[in-house]
Amino acid sequence: AQSVSQHNHHVILSEAASLELGCNYSYGGTVNLFWYVQYPGQHLQLLLKYFSGDPLVKGIKGFEAEFIKSKFSFNLRKPSVQWSDTAEYFCAVKDGTGNQFYFGTGTSLTVIP
Amino acid sequence: KAGVTQTPRYLIKTRGQQVTLSCSPISGHRSVSWYQQTPGQGLQFLFEYFSETQRNKGNFPGRFSGRQFSNSRSEMNVSTLELGDSALYLCASSTGQGAIYGYTFGSGTRLTVV
């Protein structure tokens, strides 16, 4: 079975700092990759997704992620965070052979004004 | 366009009871998946329904079951509740089986077992 690791459980940043959240997965074949965000009191929302092509994908609210196949990674980045980015971030992987999504355990981001 | 609607939002049950949770997907979405979210485990996949048939199942005991109706609405049932079943249960819908383009999530049902 696929496993998804998010090594940063809690991240605290000041506004305008740069963000990078790590995501690694175990499956070596074709994958679809996603980042979801859960703002306080809200439901999970899709930030961005990768299927194929350009490994650098851009999502909403200035977020981007880079797929590095050789490292089994799909790290999320944002050049300058805002207080409103305070949320929990989940990486998810769907392998090409099955219909199941595998989610990481999430990274809690707190941005200090 | 209405989102994914889950009812009820909150539930408190006692051990040994059973519970039924409901999910109405986005109009036109035929796939409904259920997840259990807990602080320590993150999101864990329960099952997926597509066209009234269970297409995929996670690693949960048989006490967890579900069904999907012809209008794509889905229900999840947990029998003989245990304290460890306390969690946020999320429903997610997608256009096709396997949610290849990603999910739209509901706000969840917070279940507390006492």
Side-chain angles (χ1 to χ4, degrees), chain A residues 17-28:
Chain A
S18 64
L19 170 71
E20 181 160 3
L21 301 182
C23 173
N24 289 90
Y25 60 93
S26 60
Y27 181 69

Side-chain angles (χ1 to χ4, degrees), chain A residues 7-12 106-109:
Chain A
H7 305 293
N8 315 102
H9 298 294
H10 300 280
V11 174
I12 301 174
T107 296
S108 174
L109 171 66

Side-chain angles (χ1 to χ4, degrees), chain B residues 10-14 81 83 85-87 110-114:
Chain B
Y10 302 93
L11 267 178
I12 299 176
K13 292 284 188 179
T14 57
L81 283 165
L83 295 179
D85 297 333
S86 294
R110 172 80 58 189
L111 172 64
T112 302
V113 182
V114 296

Side-chain angles (χ1 to χ4, degrees), chain B residues 50-64:
Chain B
F50 182 80
S51 294
E52 302 178 63
T53 302
Q54 188 181 92
R55 303 290 179 158
N56 206 355
K57 190 177 189 305
N59 190 27
F60 277 81
R63 300 185 296 107
F64 291 81

Side-chain angles (χ1 to χ4, degrees), chain A:
Chain A
Q2 179 73 262
S3 68
V4 181
S5 299
Q6 292 182 242
H7 305 293
N8 315 102
H9 298 294
H10 300 280
V11 174
I12 301 174
L13 294 172
S14 298
E15 274 194 317
S18 64
L19 170 71
E20 181 160 3
L21 301 182
C23 173
N24 289 90
Y25 60 93
S26 60
Y27 181 69
T30 302
V31 291
N32 297 329
L33 301 161
F34 305 81
W35 275 96
Y36 284 86
V37 60
Q38 189 170 33
Y39 297 103
Q42 295 188 28
H43 60 274
L44 279 155
Q45 302 171 44
L46 182 64
L47 259 183
L48 47 79
K49 58 193 175 192
Y50 170 82
F51 294 103
S52 63
D54 189 343
L56 184 63
V57 294
K58 296 190 184 301
I60 60 172
K61 303 185 180 185
F63 286 91
E64 65 179 32
E66 185 175 14
F67 170 50
I68 303 179
K69 189 173 183 178
S70 61
K71 294 184 178 180
F72 299 92
S73 71
F74 189 56
N75 292 354
L76 181 71
R77 301 196 292 249
K78 186 171 184 179
S80 176
V81 295
Q82 301 173 316
W83 174 79
S84 58
D85 294 325
T86 294
E88 187 135 16
Y89 293 81
F90 294 90
C91 178
V93 177
K94 181 182 177 308
D95 66 52
T97 60
N99 292 323
Q100 187 168 330
F101 269 71
Y102 297 89
F103 281 82
T105 52
T107 296
S108 174
L109 171 66
T110 300
V111 180
I112 301 171

